[in-house]
Amino acid sequence: MIQITGYILTLLYVCNLFFPALFRTLPGEIPALAGHAAFGIFALLLARGARRTTNHFLYFRRLIAAAFATGLFALLADRFAQVYFPERNALFSYATSIALISGLSMITGCSQDLVMQAMTAKDSEGFDSSKKDDDPSEQKSPLFGIPVQPLRYRMRPMMGIVAGILTIGAALFSTLFFRFSHGLYGQAFIVLAFVAFRDTPDPREKTQSSVHLIAFRRRMEQTLFEDTLGFRRALLSLSALTLVFLLLSRFPGAPTRFMTPTMPGCLIALPLALLFPEFKEPPSPTRRKATYSLLPACYAVLFVIRLIVGSS
């Protein structure tokens, strides 16, 4: 349901771009808030998906392909139908955020490798190599940090840290240079949501003293957050992020696109994600393709309608 809510809000925002005359009776902030809320919803879904996926590179490729397809129809609509787009489509921001998360994961994982190597070298005198194969828990994973394609081979820690820094730099540079949707705020929003979705201790060991509390926790398991701790982390971190960007935008000389007045509408995604459940079943190949092709198809259909209406 939360995915469908995001699609509806996206459709409202995009229809306002192609047919602004239909929304003249509504305040201009309502479609803008709908677009920001949709961005927040799919940012949360992206952060959750980044935790679950085993192939971030394939995730990135699908997003960037959908972003270019959507951008192509936006370019045609701007050229032939005089449709004004205030910013690039959000799929570019989602793709660069995957690269940003991958870079951070490389730095974190390789830094842990450096510490493990230092500890191993320190204790090498008392290390018994005959026990390594007997205890699977002592075998190191062939991956560092979070799996990032195509870097599935074992990389030296220092090389991994350098690769992570370059990946983060490329993601931030492309966001600022090409002025992707929601800018640095959108990137930080997705990264903090990704951190908030980290694994939590199993709460079943704690005593349940209230029937209502048990029912609420079961209800939370059907949502995007899966537990109350994940929701609290996301609420506090994303609210603090929004407050910081609002304060920074008040400084003299701050760019007008740094934080627009309606951009805090991204926080609307938090209560919506708490209210509506998430599809827990793994998507089929057909549904996965439809997910990535939905926004380009929407732009294409609305572009054709705009041409037909404009010529009549």
Side-chain angles (χ1 to χ4, degrees):
M1 287 297 296
I2 186 63
Q3 292 92 332
I4 296 177
T5 304
Y7 294 146
I8 294 174
L9 293 173
T10 302
L11 183 61
L12 174 62
Y13 173 73
V14 175
C15 285
N16 178 66
L17 295 178
F18 280 87
F19 307 102
L22 299 178
F23 297 87
R24 289 179 179 174
T25 57
L26 293 177
E29 292 79 9
I30 293 181
L33 287 174
H36 292 310
F39 178 90
I41 289 175
F42 289 113
L44 294 176
L45 290 169
L46 180 74
R48 171 58 73 185
R51 283 287 181 185
R52 293 171 177 169
T53 186
T54 58
N55 193 332
H56 283 185
F57 186 68
L58 181 59
Y59 207 172
F60 171 82
R61 285 193 305 172
R62 289 169 175 169
L63 283 171
I64 201 67
F68 276 111
T70 305
L72 175 61
F73 289 113
L75 183 64
L76 293 175
D78 179 54
R79 175 66 177 82
F80 297 103
Q82 291 75 48
V83 178
Y84 171 70
F85 297 94
E87 55 189 6
R88 300 183 188 276
N89 68 80
L91 293 177
F92 284 109
S93 298
Y94 297 149
T96 52
S97 68
I98 287 292
L100 183 60
I101 289 173
S102 300
L104 292 172
S105 301
M106 281 189 264
I107 294 175
T108 302
C110 290
S111 299
Q112 293 174 353
D113 283 353
L114 283 176
V115 175
M116 293 175 63
Q117 288 183 2
M119 294 176 62
T120 303
K122 183 178 180 181
D123 301 334
S124 59
E125 294 181 358
F127 179 74
D128 187 1
S129 60
S130 62
K131 296 181 180 180
K132 183 176 181 180
D133 295 333
D134 297 335
D135 187 4
S137 63
E138 294 182 1
Q139 297 179 4
K140 295 177 65 176
S141 171
L143 304 178
F144 55 80
I146 295 173
V148 182
Q149 295 288 347
L151 304 176
R152 291 190 65 90
Y153 53 85
R154 192 69 185 178
M155 179 181 288
R156 292 182 179 180
M158 289 306 301
M159 292 178 59
I161 292 175
V162 173
I165 294 174
L166 293 177
T167 303
I168 293 174
L172 295 179
F173 172 79
S174 59
T175 299
L176 294 175
F177 183 79
F178 295 106
R179 306 178 73 177
F180 289 155
S181 174
H182 293 76
L184 294 178
Y185 173 75
Q187 298 295 315
F189 190 98
I190 297 173
V191 170
L192 289 181
F194 174 79
V195 174
F197 283 133
R198 65 182 183 271
D199 295 333
T200 56
D202 191 354
R204 288 178 293 182
E205 298 179 358
K206 301 180 180 179
T207 57
Q208 308 289 345
S209 58
S210 172
V211 176
H212 297 287
L213 184 59
I214 297 175
F216 178 72
R217 285 179 175 170
R218 289 179 177 175
R219 174 70 177 80
M220 285 292 298
E221 292 177 356
Q222 304 301 319
T223 65
L224 190 63
F225 299 100
E226 297 183 353
D227 55 51
T228 56
L229 182 58
F231 174 75
R232 292 197 302 269
R233 282 196 298 244
L235 179 63
L236 291 176
S237 60
L238 297 179
S239 298
L241 173 71
T242 304
L243 179 61
V244 168
F245 269 77
L246 282 174
L247 293 176
L248 291 177
S249 64
R250 300 296 181 182
F251 279 93
T256 56
R257 295 174 58 85
F258 188 75
M259 186 71 173
T260 61
T262 57
M263 204 173 286
C266 295
L267 295 177
I268 300 175
L270 292 174
L272 291 178
L274 186 64
L275 179 63
F276 296 105
E278 179 198 14
F279 294 124
K280 296 296 182 180
E281 300 80 8
S284 62
T286 302
R287 187 179 129 197
R288 184 179 289 109
K289 292 178 181 178
T291 300
Y292 289 101
S293 60
L294 187 61
L295 189 60
C298 179
Y299 270 61
V301 171
L302 293 177
F303 170 55
V304 173
I305 295 175
R306 176 64 182 263
L307 288 178
I308 296 175
V309 173
S311 61
S312 61

